């Protein structure tokens, strides 16, 4: 019999094998200072493009005041216990009602964490006789929720409606045999590429197929649509989303999440979501803070306007300079370059140390080998000067990548890794 840990000693995984070279700098970096467009990294000032604070609420003085007052009034423990037992309050209900109204649904239910809540919601919505059909590029929390499913599941090619239709045909035949139903899952905005899910086209398939639609709109909530209600509002199909999910970790700059749907669906879910039934209630200070943030989202349209001023300037500037930003239709701004993982490390180090630009780096296995993805998240706190400095820096690092500078710089790293 093998030692359970043998595989750990032998294979650290595609990212783990780089830990000695990457940890503390490329992965698990430590940004310091108040959350803003400019922070400190290893003692140096950097323009930060990797904080999901879309509307700039994380360090807003009104938000900090309410957060501090709520912490002083309630502490960090209240209420104690799960919602069903002793952790339910009027303010939890108020937040749910306001969130439901904001995303144009009958009812909503709070979740302690987005990832945990998504996994549990997928699990609660389906039984072993049901079939799940989901986008192959779905977020890890969706994939982990699907893994709990004891029935059949199919993936369709990313944002490919023809592929979805073929898989719905397969799922329909199977559901007729099992006596179950079909759940289709898409994201409102795919967080890596920035593309909106093709919700309008998915909804149109309801005329041909009998399924329910579950949308993860983590990056669309607060940033898309006339009122900020998300990708469904942006595409004119919010009413046709059967179960809507969003997190507080992006536009609301906090912790927590929620699901919204018809009242009867929410009533069912709140009695069957294991991650909420058997977990402590969302802390009151977070509930009060979310109420304040949601009110600002509703009453301060300039927040979203400022955000899109920066998004448009950054994305149009990158395209004008010949950078490949894919097909983003959201604030998420990916920049695709060609190079190896060691070249990516050299490039990012140069970007941070010599140009004062901090953005997230994504490499294989998240994206195909030979590609480097620099992922930027514009926020309402960024300035047009930040955009200008960043565009100039990207011009410089692209030139050094193309002339082989980073390849030469990374040669020692490749040798050390035995690649």
């Amino acid at each position: 019999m093998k030692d359970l840990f043998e595989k750990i000693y032998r294979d650290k995984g595609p990212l783990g094998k780089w830990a000695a070279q990457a940890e503390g700098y490329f992965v698990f970096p430590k940004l310091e200072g108040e959350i803003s467009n400019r922070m400190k990294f290893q003692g140096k000032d950097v323009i930060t493009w990797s904080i999901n604070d879309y509307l700039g609420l994380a360090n807003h003085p009104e938000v900090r005041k309410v957060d501090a007052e709520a912490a002083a009034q309630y502490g960090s423990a209240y209420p104690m216990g799960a919602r069903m037992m002793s952790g339910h309050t009027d303010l939890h209900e108020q937040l749910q009602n306001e969130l439901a109204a904001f995303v144009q649904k009958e009812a909503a239910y709070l979740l302690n964490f987005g990832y945990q809540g998504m996994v549990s919601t997928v699990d609660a919505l389906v039984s072993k006789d049901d079939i799940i059909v989901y986008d192959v590029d779905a977020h890890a929390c969706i994939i982990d929720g699907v893994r709990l499913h004891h029935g059949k599941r199919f993936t369709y090619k990313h944002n490919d409606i023809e592929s979805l239709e073929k898989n719905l045909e397969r799922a329909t035949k199977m559901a007729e045999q099992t006596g179950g139903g079909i759940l289709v899952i898409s994201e409102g905005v795919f967080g890596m590429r920035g593309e909106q899910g093709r919700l309008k086209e998915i909804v149109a398939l309801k005329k041909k197929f009998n399924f329910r639609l579950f949308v993860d709109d983590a990056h669309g909530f607060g940033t898309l649509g006339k009122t900020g209600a998300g990708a469904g509002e942006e595409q004119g199909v919010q009413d046709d989303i059967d179960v809507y999910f969003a997190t507080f970790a992006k536009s609301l700059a906090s912790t927590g999440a929620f699901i919204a749907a018809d009242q009867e669906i929410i009533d069912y879910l709140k009695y069957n979501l294991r991650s909420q039934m058997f977990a402590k209630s969302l802390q009151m200070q977070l509930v009060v803070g979310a109420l304040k943030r949601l009110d600002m989202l509703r009453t301060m349209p300039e927040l979203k306007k400022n955000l899109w001023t920066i998004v448009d300037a950054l994305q149009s500037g990158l395209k004008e300079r010949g950078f490949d930003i894919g097909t983003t239709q959201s604030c998420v701004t990916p920049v695709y370059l060609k190079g190896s993982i060691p070249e990516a490390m050299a490039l990012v180090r140069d970007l941070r140390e010599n140009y004062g630009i901090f953005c997230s780096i994504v490499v294989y296995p998240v994206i195909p080998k030979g590609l480097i993805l620099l992922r930027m998240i514009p926020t309402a706190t960024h300035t047009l000067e930040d955009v200008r400095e960043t565009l100039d820096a990207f011009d410089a690092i692209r030139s050094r990548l193309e002339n082989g500078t980073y390849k030469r710089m990374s040669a020692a790293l490749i040798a050390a890794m035995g690649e």
Side-chain angles (χ1 to χ4, degrees):
M1 186 193 319
K2 289 183 178 179
D3 178 359
L4 176 67
F5 291 167
E6 183 180 333
K7 60 181 176 293
I8 297 174
Y9 302 138
R10 184 181 66 251
D11 183 3
K12 302 299 183 184
L15 292 178
K17 70 177 183 178
W18 297 98
Q21 291 77 22
E23 192 162 325
Y25 195 93
F26 302 103
V27 295
F28 300 103
K30 299 173 184 176
L31 284 166
E32 299 176 340
E34 294 184 345
I35 296 173
S36 184
N37 58 318
R38 294 185 183 238
M39 298 175 69
K40 284 190 179 293
F41 177 63
Q42 298 196 343
K44 296 184 177 181
D45 292 327
V46 291
I47 301 173
T48 49
W49 295 103
S50 62
I51 304 294
N52 291 323
D53 181 26
Y54 284 121
L55 300 178
L57 297 180
N59 201 41
H60 194 287
E62 291 185 40
V63 166
R64 291 190 63 162
K65 182 175 183 291
V66 168
D67 285 351
E69 290 173 348
Q73 181 176 358
Y74 297 105
S76 60
Y78 187 83
M80 288 297 292
R83 292 280 296 280
M84 291 185 74
M85 297 298 185
S86 56
H88 189 65
T89 73
D90 287 341
L91 288 177
H92 284 74
E93 288 188 349
Q94 180 184 339
L95 179 56
Q96 288 173 172
N97 292 337
E98 291 189 19
L99 285 166
F102 184 75
V103 298
Q104 304 157 34
K105 295 297 179 186
E106 284 186 1
Y109 194 65
L110 292 179
L111 307 169
N112 291 357
F113 296 98
Y115 199 111
Q116 173 201 54
M118 172 59 73
V119 170
S120 194
T121 302
V122 174
D123 178 52
L125 284 172
V126 292
S127 68
K128 64 179 178 60
D129 295 327
D130 299 321
I131 294 90
I132 298 176
V133 183
Y134 64 105
D135 192 296
V136 71
D137 278 3
H139 190 272
C141 65
I142 295 173
I143 294 171
D144 285 353
V146 171
R147 284 176 173 173
L148 293 177
H149 180 42
H150 294 294
K152 292 290 185 180
R153 65 262 197 167
F154 302 114
T155 59
Y156 62 93
K157 295 177 184 177
H158 174 59
N159 261 351
D160 187 323
I161 299 303
E162 183 179 350
S163 175
L164 171 59
E165 187 166 1
K166 288 180 180 178
N167 279 283
L168 281 171
E169 290 172 353
R170 297 168 67 194
T172 299
K173 291 178 181 178
M174 190 162 290
E176 289 171 349
Q177 296 173 358
T178 64
I182 301 171
L183 178 67
V184 172
I185 309 176
S186 177
E187 295 190 45
V189 173
F190 290 86
M192 198 60 62
R193 305 179 189 222
E195 298 165 334
Q196 290 183 42
R198 297 178 65 180
L199 305 182
K200 189 172 185 178
E201 291 92 333
I202 294 173
V203 164
L205 289 175
K206 284 187 172 186
K207 296 176 182 177
K208 185 175 181 181
F209 300 96
N210 183 16
F211 64 87
R212 295 293 187 171
L213 176 60
F214 183 18
V215 173
D216 173 354
D217 204 25
H219 289 273
F221 175 74
T223 68
L224 294 175
K226 182 179 179 180
T227 69
E233 183 182 49
E234 178 82 9
Q235 298 181 37
V237 293
Q238 187 75 353
D239 289 346
D240 298 292
I241 296 173
D242 297 293
V243 181
Y244 178 91
F245 165 95
T247 176
F248 299 163
K250 307 292 191 295
S251 286
L252 294 191
S254 186
T255 299
F258 72 98
I259 44 175
D262 291 346
Q263 183 69 59
E264 192 166 356
I265 306 305
I266 294 300
D267 286 344
Y268 171 82
L269 288 171
K270 73 181 184 182
Y271 282 92
N272 291 278
L273 283 171
R274 294 175 63 83
S275 68
Q276 306 308 306
M277 293 170 64
F278 301 103
K280 182 181 180 297
S281 176
L282 191 66
Q283 296 165 267
M284 186 67 88
Q285 65 189 91
L286 295 175
V287 173
V288 173
L291 281 165
K292 174 60 178 177
R293 290 160 169 82
L294 181 60
D295 182 62
M296 293 174 72
L297 202 162
R298 281 192 304 249
T299 61
M300 298 173 65
E302 66 269 21
L303 295 172
K304 186 159 74 77
K305 181 181 178 182
N306 293 342
L307 165 65
W308 277 95
T309 295
I310 299 301
V311 173
D312 292 340
L314 179 64
Q315 293 184 356
S316 62
L318 286 165
K319 287 190 285 188
E320 286 167 5
R321 296 182 187 222
F323 285 94
D324 179 5
I325 65 169
T327 54
T328 182
Q329 303 156 310
S330 69
C331 303
V332 179
T333 305
V335 177
Y336 297 94
L337 300 166
K338 293 181 179 179
S340 65
I341 292 177
E343 284 177 295
M345 290 180 172
L347 180 153
V348 169
R349 185 178 292 278
D350 194 22
L351 198 58
R352 294 177 182 177
E353 298 298 323
N354 299 315
Y355 297 96
I357 307 296
F358 188 101
C359 61
S360 298
I361 173 177
V362 183
V363 294
Y364 177 82
V366 180
I367 59 174
K369 286 184 178 180
L371 280 181
I372 302 168
L373 191 162
L374 300 177
R375 178 175 176 264
M376 291 189 286
I377 301 294
T379 74
T381 63
H382 282 101
T383 67
L384 294 177
E385 176 60 22
D386 294 335
V387 172
R388 187 195 63 77
E389 287 186 36
T390 301
L391 293 174
D392 289 345
F394 270 59
D395 274 340
I397 58 114
R398 176 175 57 185
S399 177
R400 302 192 80 189
L401 179 64
E402 291 175 349
N403 69 24
T405 298
Y406 297 135
K407 191 170 186 177
R408 291 190 294 273
M409 289 171 63
S410 64
L413 178 59
I414 296 172
M417 291 297 298
E419 294 290 306

